[in-house]
Amino acid sequence: MALSDLLYLHGIGDEYVDYKGENIVISDEDREGVLRSLISQSSQVADADDIDTPLTESQIQTRIDELVHQPWLLPLPRFQYCYLDQLQMDIVLSAKEQGSIKLSIVDPQGQLFSLVLKKADLLFVDKHDYAEQQYIQYRIKLSNTVLASKLVMGYHQVSLVLLNASAERFVGRLMIAPRQAFRGHFYDDNSPHKRKPWGVNIQLYSLRSQRQWGIGDFIDLHQLMSILAEKGADFILLNPLHALDIKEPEQASPYSPTDRRRINPLYIGVDAVKEFSYVEKQINQSPWQAKIENINETDWVDYANVFTIKYQCFVLLYQAFCEYEQARNTLRYQAFQAFVCDEGQALQEFVLREEVLFADKNNGMPVDVTFFCYLQFVAQEQLQACQTHAKTLGMSIGLICDLAVGAKSKGAEVGAHLPQYATKVSIGAPPDDLAPQGQNWYLTPFDPNKLQQSAFEPFIQLVHQNMRHCGGLRIDHVVGLLRLWCQPINQSRGKGAYVYYPMETLIAIINLESQLAQCCVIGEDLGLIPDELTQAVLKAGFYANEVFYFCKDWQGFFAPKDYKKQSLMMLANHDVPTLAAWWSSSDLHLRFKLSLLESEEVLTGLLYRRTEEKQQLLDILIWKQLLSPDVEMKTLAFSELLMAWVNLSASGASQLFSVQLCDLLADTHSVNIPGTWQEYPNWQRRLTSTLTELANNSHFLALLDAIARQRLNEE
């Protein structure tokens, strides 16, 4: 029974419903393997990582005592939250305590409020017996006190003083959160029609221009905004911009970051950095220009060479910054100093690790810790400028950034908060029809108990950092707010199990940060999503994330009026084929070529099913009078299909709508093929057209016009 209790306290699930709708019972061995991996970093059971025998009764009881009894010994929890419309907080007192208490609250603006309460003013909630003493949990209804009109949304520092002979003082944090996340100011009340926002989702690195250095950057993003805003677009949805492994730049998946709090410097547009004017003459010399032209001619991003040449330029820019800005103590240098001060310890943790990793590459470039601070300063500067530009152009949302589900174990993010991360397990997914063997994403999750004990500070910091310079944040694998499939790094400990998280608290934190930043939230809810999460994020005002391919049943594709209203409808995302690939079935042939399909028989079956799906797409396009009734699959021009497809999906009930830029250009190459690593050049494909060509592409512009028209219509 004790082991069962400990598994429950660690949130390790015992069953789940799989993709077939079948109830799967997780074995005791797999659950205990995850448990041992989670607690192996605990000092009380330090040897648990080195043994293969079951946990001892002593180890189990020690951990239970820590999780069950210790919280009752704290009169004031390290962290608690309430809602703005239900102000309250809890405290714990010994049953022997008879005196009054003094409660002091410092609000986010630094104002101090205090009140003295008698025990009779407190509401009984619960009691707990431990070590021959009784502890009682009380609730203070702040809404019934003089503080009710003074407390605001945000993080409050709270102190509790026992007004007895000991006069003991305890401190904690109270978060006052809104019930919902920021939804966005999307509608023009003076218009007879509700205007439903739309945009384009892109892989930033894929943008192409004559001026760039082999990879899309923030200046290209700036230019793309101007093109899209002129057609009435409201946002651009980006891939994650997180910092990646500086030692292996070719490991380019934006969903495998080393630090989600920082930006990948490769997205810096070097020619737009102020210091570029000091080194421009040197860069314009033939050796530099020849290298830039070579990496800019390829159809796939050459990350290794892009990294080398851009970092060589970064060094020159930094040296110019030191010579012309730092030496003169200019306003720009003072802004840099303010940035470093504001970013605090989180930035220092990152740059110290970057310096060590960069030195290991033996580049021979003269850099120091401040160099990496400078790169983050410039990256933040350019990203913020993009969002400002978007709002200036009239985009109602601007940038929608993307938050990856986890980070690599050896990166600065995990290293900075090592006790709060479960480094002995990796995030993945149980078996499904796309990956019968299951998936391992080699990302490190939070330890739910350690996260709670740290007052959720790493999570708060993470959300805050990612909402600063955008109008929306897409949370990848939003089910991670409820549970994550965790697989032990030590494979002898089993296949893994679901680990559950304090969902309501995490959502409350997101709601608060969202309102403070005026940043709407999109939860990527594809796959196995329990109904309790679906309902919770819907209630919290998150937008769901629909993908057109999956909006169907055995009868065919859903009618546009049946799309989820509170959602972002995407025609496709980075893990599914483009429409051009889907329509030609080239994605299936590629999967077979890469040995992702078991046999030719499987391929034949999938091709037959694809033909049925294509006919279902034609059926709904004909029904909606977007194609002629006598259209034939074999003779239909793809440009005509694409226009009809865009008109269909853009007319739907979803409040937000987005289409991949590569889809609008009829590219057949996949952004990413799940289940591959070196077999396919994932995250490397560049667009087939430059931004200048896009601005003059009549069919592309006509597609944007079609979307804009449909988003003005009401179903």
Side-chain angles (χ1 to χ4, degrees), residues 367-575:
V367 301
D368 56 20
V369 169
T370 312
F371 165 74
F372 296 101
C373 292
Y374 170 74
L375 292 185
Q376 289 302 309
F377 169 67
V378 174
Q380 292 270 12
E381 182 180 51
Q382 292 195 350
L383 177 61
Q384 184 175 13
C386 284
Q387 177 64 6
T388 300
H389 182 57
K391 303 303 284 187
T392 301
L393 291 171
M395 287 185 156
S396 63
I397 301 175
L399 299 179
I400 297 180
C401 291
D402 201 343
L403 177 63
V405 67
K408 287 186 173 181
S409 62
K410 302 300 182 182
E413 179 187 328
V414 173
H417 300 283
L418 199 58
Q420 285 78 51
Y421 282 88
T423 59
K424 303 299 182 182
V425 296
S426 175
I427 303 171
D432 58 28
D433 55 344
L434 293 178
Q437 73 284 3
Q439 298 180 61
N440 188 337
W441 302 330
Y442 301 100
L443 299 173
T444 305
F446 285 115
D447 180 317
N449 284 315
K450 297 294 185 181
L451 182 63
Q452 188 164 356
Q453 291 166 7
S454 70
F456 295 93
E457 186 57 37
F459 184 78
I460 292 170
Q461 186 182 106
L462 181 65
V463 177
H464 177 78
Q465 291 284 94
N466 280 275
M467 285 186 172
R468 288 191 300 177
H469 304 308
C470 56
L473 182 66
R474 175 185 179 272
I475 300 177
D476 189 50
H477 201 62
V478 74
V479 72
L481 299 177
L482 171 66
R483 69 183 189 186
L484 287 172
W485 183 262
C486 294
Q487 301 167 250
I489 301 297
N490 182 345
Q491 296 183 7
S492 68
R493 291 183 178 166
K495 299 177 181 179
Y498 274 115
V499 174
Y500 284 77
Y501 289 78
M503 176 185 67
E504 293 181 353
T505 304
L506 299 182
I507 289 177
I509 291 170
I510 293 172
N511 286 351
L512 173 59
E513 291 294 338
S514 168
Q515 291 286 356
L516 294 176
Q518 295 286 277
C519 176
C520 62
V521 180
I522 299 160
E524 188 273 296
D525 55 348
L526 304 173
L528 300 174
I529 308 297
D531 186 63
E532 60 185 298
L533 176 76
T534 300
Q535 296 304 316
V537 296
L538 180 70
K539 185 178 179 181
F542 293 15
Y543 292 95
N545 192 180
E546 297 276 81
V547 171
F548 178 84
Y549 292 131
F550 307 141
C551 291
K552 64 189 301 296
D553 56 25
W554 64 273
Q555 293 179 305
F557 290 95
F558 296 158
K561 66 179 180 61
D562 295 328
Y563 297 167
K564 288 181 183 177
K565 183 177 181 181
Q566 191 174 308
S567 73
L568 164 69
M569 166 59 77
M570 300 169 67
L571 294 186
N573 65 17
H574 54 268
D575 284 334

Side-chain angles (χ1 to χ4, degrees), residues 643 646-647 650-651 701-711 713:
M643 180 62 77
V646 161
N647 274 285
S651 69
L701 298 176
L703 289 167
L704 297 182
D705 286 335
I707 297 172
R709 284 194 302 271
Q710 293 296 344
R711 299 306 287 168
N713 295 334

Side-chain angles (χ1 to χ4, degrees), residues 279-294:
V279 302
E280 185 173 7
K281 185 176 180 180
Q282 180 178 348
I283 298 298
N284 285 337
Q285 294 175 356
S286 57
W288 280 89
Q289 289 304 306
K291 292 178 181 178
I292 295 170
E293 289 175 7
N294 285 338

Side-chain angles (χ1 to χ4, degrees), residues 686-706:
R686 301 177 74 197
L687 294 177
T688 54
S689 300
T690 65
L691 292 170
T692 301
E693 291 168 341
L694 277 183
N696 295 288
N697 183 325
S698 59
H699 185 63
F700 169 72
L701 298 176
L703 289 167
L704 297 182
D705 286 335

Side-chain angles (χ1 to χ4, degrees), residues 159-224:
S159 67
L160 175 69
V161 177
L162 304 180
L163 299 179
N164 54 24
S166 68
E168 289 182 274
R169 180 174 180 269
F170 305 91
V171 296
R173 176 186 260 187
L174 172 66
M175 182 183 76
I176 300 179
R179 293 281 182 179
Q180 286 197 327
F182 176 69
R183 296 295 301 276
H185 306 301
F186 300 147
Y187 304 123
D188 181 359
D189 294 332
N190 297 320
S191 172
H193 300 288
K194 288 185 177 180
R195 182 177 178 279
K196 293 176 290 188
W198 66 276
V200 171
N201 44 310
I202 67 167
Q203 304 293 314
L204 180 53
Y205 59 80
S206 73
L207 295 185
R208 202 162 188 160
S209 67
Q210 293 298 323
R211 50 146 293 280
Q212 68 179 212
W213 292 33
I215 187 171
D217 57 35
F218 291 129
I219 310 309
D220 294 320
L221 178 59
H222 198 276
Q223 183 180 348
L224 178 62

